[in-house]
């Protein structure tokens, strides 16, 4: 038997997801459009800490699973986002719902990249203290990390029984 999702609590999750998704997509539009980082390649913003470096990621973190294919990654993002949405309806804490929303917004932002461009648009590169980081990331990745960290750090005893 399939039950409808309770509307209570979905607002916080949906708002956080929408904000994360929108901020991610706006930055990617700016990187690919007005800034045209594809042509520029690398742009030092705050050397040596922050630079914009154009990168296309067909896998997950650090390019892992690049051979899995675009459609598999899109399907995983959609399935996980739906599961997270359902899970968030059992949460009492608005903060945890917001954390789930950040995860969903980030996952959907990267999924849209894969659908539109065949790969995720990565452009943020941070290095420090003599260490050169060869990898780039984007705001969707930041939201996914922040959402996961929020779920770990926030009290998890707020889940209601089913």
């Amino acid at each position: 038997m399939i039950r409808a999702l309770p509307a209570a609590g979905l607002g916080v999750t949906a708002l956080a997801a929408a904000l994360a998704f929108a901020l991610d997509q706006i930055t990617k539009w700016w990187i690919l459009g007005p800034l045209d980082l594809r042509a520029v390649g690398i742009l030092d913003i705050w050397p040596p800490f922050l630079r914009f470096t154009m990168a296309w990621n067909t896998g997950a973190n650090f390019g892992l699973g690049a051979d899995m294919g675009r459609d598999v990654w899109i399907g995983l993002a959609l399935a996980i986002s739906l599961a997270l949405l359902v899970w968030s309806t059992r949460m009492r804490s608005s903060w945890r719902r917001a954390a789930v929303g950040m995860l969903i917004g980030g996952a959907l932002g990267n999924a849209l990249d894969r659908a539109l461009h065949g790969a995720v648009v990565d452009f943020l590169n941070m290095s420090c203290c003599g260490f050169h980081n060869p990898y780039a990331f984007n705001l969707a990745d930041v939201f996914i990390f922040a959402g996961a960290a929020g779920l770990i750090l926030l009290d998890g005893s707020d889940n209601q029984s089913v």
Side-chain angles (χ1 to χ4, degrees):
M1 177 172 160
I2 298 175
R3 294 186 302 169
L5 290 176
L10 283 180
V12 171
T13 305
L15 179 62
L19 287 173
F21 179 84
L23 287 171
D24 173 64
Q25 290 300 303
I26 288 167
T27 59
K28 290 171 181 173
W29 166 82
W30 180 65
I31 286 298
L32 296 175
L35 189 58
D36 196 14
L37 195 60
R38 284 181 279 203
V40 175
I42 296 174
L43 183 61
D44 283 324
I45 302 300
W46 185 28
F49 305 109
L50 176 63
R51 64 183 357 182
F52 290 168
T53 303
M54 190 69 233
W56 298 95
N57 187 355
T58 57
N61 287 354
F62 312 113
L64 297 173
D67 57 343
M68 288 176 49
R70 174 189 89 139
D71 294 338
V72 170
W73 284 113
I74 292 171
L76 277 171
L78 295 175
I80 291 169
S81 294
L82 180 59
L84 286 168
L85 182 66
V86 170
W87 183 43
S88 75
T89 64
R90 299 179 183 161
M91 296 177 177
R92 293 182 190 146
S93 166
S94 293
W95 291 108
R96 286 178 57 83
R97 287 188 196 125
V100 169
M102 287 191 285
L103 279 165
I104 292 170
L108 295 179
N110 282 344
L112 182 60
D113 287 2
R114 291 178 196 285
L116 295 176
H117 308 292
V120 173
V121 178
D122 286 336
F123 61 92
L124 296 168
N125 175 266
M126 301 183 82
S127 298
C128 178
C129 314
F131 172 75
H132 172 70
N133 176 15
Y135 299 103
F137 59 99
N138 59 45
L139 283 186
D141 299 332
V142 172
F143 289 122
I144 290 168
F145 179 84
L151 288 174
I152 291 167
L153 297 174
L154 296 169
D155 181 15
S157 63
D158 67 345
N159 293 334
Q160 298 175 7
S161 59
V162 179

